[in-house]
Amino acid sequence: MKSNDKTIRSILIPKLSNWLVDNDLAGVRNPAELNKLPIDEKKEWLALWDEVSTLIKRIEEK
């Protein structure tokens, strides 16, 4: 593993993980709030949160 890989991981994981708990994003992340959105927009947000979670896992595995 390259040292710059460790640096990138040490930056990316906390930032992406914060997206999953940040109160400012609750309106587009929490299920009750997502249910207030049009279905197409809700699907896009759900896809984003899935991608963020998947990316965090992939970064952690390397």
Side-chain angles (χ1 to χ4, degrees):
M1 173 182 354
K2 299 175 189 172
S3 63
N4 63 341
D5 289 346
K6 288 181 184 179
T7 302
I8 290 169
R9 274 197 288 277
S10 71
I11 294 169
L12 283 179
I13 291 173
K15 290 205 179 278
L16 291 172
S17 296
N18 187 56
W19 288 10
L20 300 176
V21 296
D22 189 324
N23 286 333
D24 290 338
L25 297 172
V28 292
R29 188 189 60 242
N30 293 342
E33 297 300 318
L34 284 170
N35 286 333
K36 297 175 184 178
L37 298 175
I39 191 71
D40 289 341
E41 187 175 352
K42 177 183 174 180
K43 286 180 183 179
E44 290 177 10
W45 282 111
L46 289 171
L48 173 69
W49 301 126
D50 186 51
E51 288 178 37
V52 169
S53 295
T54 300
L55 183 56
I56 291 170
K57 289 176 189 171
R58 287 180 56 204
I59 294 169
E60 290 174 334
E61 291 172 356
K62 290 191 175 198

